[in-house]
Amino acid sequence: GAGVSQSPSNKVTEKGKDVELRCDPISGHTALYWYRQSLGQGLEFLIYFQGNSAPDKSGLPSDRFSAERTGGSVSTLTIQRTQQEDSAVYLCASSLAVTINEQFFGPGTRLTVL
Amino acid sequence: GESVGLHLPTLSVQEGDNSIINCAYSNSASDYFIWYKQESGKGPQFIIDIRSNMDKRQGQRVTVLLNKTVKHLSLQIAATQPGDSAVYFCAEKTQGGKLIFGQGTELSVKP
């Protein structure tokens, strides 16, 4: 498929464990974004990448959250010492460039912290 | 702080009628306002955008209106179809391309 893919689709973990969420953007898209969506809520910006650099990390809720992008392609969002309030759907999006308004979203990873 | 919010959380319309979804925003600094549609279990899908120096833009069956005086954005869907049933989010594009989303309006189309 040519769309944005995310894995895993669902993740259940215990409080205190670390989790890694993966995003494969559309090939050739230089901009990559991470958002979080809590149940019945809007989307909350977390971080974006231009290439492998992250100019804006302002949305990361705490220092337990980090993200990286390698080779201008795949990105990984890591949450350390997960808490119950981290439970949400984590959505990744990509666009050709940061100047392009249309962001293509993946299906998301549903994270449940018990 | 900056925020983008919606007037109505739910909207129910009859198939074939026109739908109007409203949004209020508080930050006037953005260059673009964008509407996204999110179907159950899927990621949001881009519908249409409007630059801040415009007041109207039309797409296929959709029109977006921007009133900067009262900081109001609306999405009009003509001849609403069952496939239009979804949650609609307005979003404000800020520097670097990050989107600030509103809370969403659920549109339900009755056959």
Side-chain angles (χ1 to χ4, degrees), chain B residues 28-33 50-53 92-94:
Chain B
S28 304
S30 61
D31 288 331
Y32 286 93
F33 296 90
I50 185 167
R51 192 165 181 162
S52 60
N53 63 354
E92 173 186 4
K93 187 180 180 187
T94 66

Side-chain angles (χ1 to χ4, degrees), chain A residues 18-21 63-68 76-80:
Chain A
D18 297 351
V19 296
E20 283 190 355
L21 311 180
D63 58 8
R64 296 187 295 106
F65 288 72
S66 63
E68 65 175 12
T76 302
L77 177 69
T78 301
I79 309 174
Q80 295 179 310

